[in-house]
Each structure stands twice: as structure tokens, then as C-alpha cells.
Amino acid sequence: MPDGGNLAVTAKRNGAQALVSISDDGRGMTEEEARNLFVPFFTTKSDGTGLGLAYAQRVINEHGGKIDYATARGKGSTFSIQLPLAVGA
Ligand SMILES: Nc1ncnc2c1ncn2[C@@H]1O[C@H](COP(=O)(O)OP(=O)(O)OP(=O)(O)O)[C@@H](O)[C@H]1O
Ligand SMILES: [Mg+2]
């Protein structure tokens, strides 16, 4: 959101899972962007590496979690992360 916007971050517990949601009211994604979101080095930014989401997904997967997204053109995008809580947490 280069011209500013709202970013909402929430975290809650659901049984043995932590649920983290990160929601923006930016431009949303094209179909091509959505398809390539987690592909290393895919970027539409002039100064992007395209590694942010690929790396995030890898770290989350290696912790036994998962990351999903939802997006609407012109309205924004939401990333939802599920992570298993540590035993005894
Ligand atoms: N919240 C979002 N809204 C719209 N498009 C997004 C969003 N997040 C990612 N994208 C699209 O997915 C691409 C890849 O994102 P990713 O975070 O992996 O890398 P990047 O942001 O381009 O680069 P860097 O990680 O170096 O900042 C972005 O370039 C953009 O096209
Ligand atoms: Mg990024």
C-alpha cells in the first residue's frame, strides 16, 4: 500500500492451533499474482526480491502450519496462518 492504508493483524487460539490473520485494504491481486504468490523470485515490485512469501510459507510449513490467502481486486487481501501450538502451551 504505497499510498497508505489499513493493515489489520489478529491472533487467536483455536484448540491446539494459533490462528493469525493479516488483512490489508490495498489493491488486491491479479490472477497471475495470486497464482505465483509463493513462487520464489516472483515479484511485481521494482525493488522486490519475490522471496517474502516463499520464505514465509516455507518457515510456516516447516513448523507444521499452513498459510492461505483470499483476495479481491481493488479491495484488498487477507493472509491466514495456522500454526500448531507447542505441547503444554
Ligand atoms: N498483500 C498483497 N497485495 C497484493 N499483492 C501482493 C500482496 N502480497 C504479495 N503480493 C504480490 O505477490 C508478489 C510476491 O510477494 P512477496 O512478498 O513474495 O515478494 P515481494 O513483496 O515482491 O518482494 P520482497 O519480499 O522482497 O518484499 C508481490 O510482488 C505482489 O505482486
Ligand atoms: Mg512482500
Side-chain angles (χ1 to χ4, degrees):
M1 294 179 287
D3 301 321
N6 295 301
L7 186 71
V9 181
T10 66
K12 63 183 180 190
R13 180 180 181 152
N14 180 26
Q17 305 270 336
L19 305 180
V20 180
S21 163
I22 302 157
S23 210
D24 67 59
D25 60 0
R27 60 180 175 75
M29 295 167 208
T30 64
E31 264 179 46
E32 193 203 1
E33 286 168 340
R35 202 169 49 240
N36 292 291
L37 212 44
F38 298 108
V39 175
F41 304 112
F42 174 85
T43 185
T44 56
K45 301 199 292 206
S46 56
D47 60 346
T49 64
L51 287 174
L53 281 165
Y55 188 70
Q57 185 185 50
R58 180 165 173 170
V59 170
I60 291 162
N61 287 349
E62 287 185 359
H63 283 83
K66 63 177 191 174
I67 179 169
D68 292 321
Y69 72 92
T71 187
R73 289 290 277 152
K75 293 191 175 158
S77 305
T78 298
F79 288 88
S80 304
I81 299 164
Q82 264 185 48
L83 285 168
L85 291 169
V87 176

